[in-house]
Amino acid sequence: MGILLVYDVTDESSFNNIRNWIRNIEQHASDNVNKILVGNKADMDESKRAVPTSKGQALADEYGIKFFETSAKTNLNVEEVFFSIARDIKQRLAESDSKGAEPQTIKINQPDQGAAGGQAAPKTACCGS
């Protein structure tokens, strides 16, 4: 129901793989699957950073998905990412439920309008008695 696309901000090749992963998602996952782009290792020294925040945000904007930078080491934004995708999934499911067809109901003790030219079927006792 949700996919986190995680790359390492100190490894440009992991960032470059995101487009391939998104293509795979488009080919094999549900059309409406929630996605979030996550740049991990945001705690690393700027001198080790290979992917600037702006580049990650630009890619997320291109695909219309949310973007976070996290640090699994320091727990920066980790909870926020999981809560965000959970909220998005919950919202999507609630919206799809409200757009669905009229709820299926069974009407008890209602005459069948299609039987006998619109006349009510004769009432019988339960279990053939």
Side-chain angles (χ1 to χ4, degrees), residues 39-75:
N40 192 39
K41 296 189 181 180
D43 61 289
M44 296 298 283
D45 186 77
E46 281 297 315
S47 65
K48 295 181 181 176
R49 182 182 277 266
V51 183
T53 302
S54 59
K55 197 170 179 180
Q57 184 64 61
L59 185 63
D61 292 346
E62 179 182 331
Y63 287 105
I65 60 178
K66 289 183 179 177
F67 172 68
F68 289 87
E69 282 197 338
T70 64
S71 169
K73 183 178 181 179
T74 67
N75 201 29

Side-chain angles (χ1 to χ4, degrees), residues 111-120:
D112 181 5
Q113 297 300 319
Q119 295 181 359

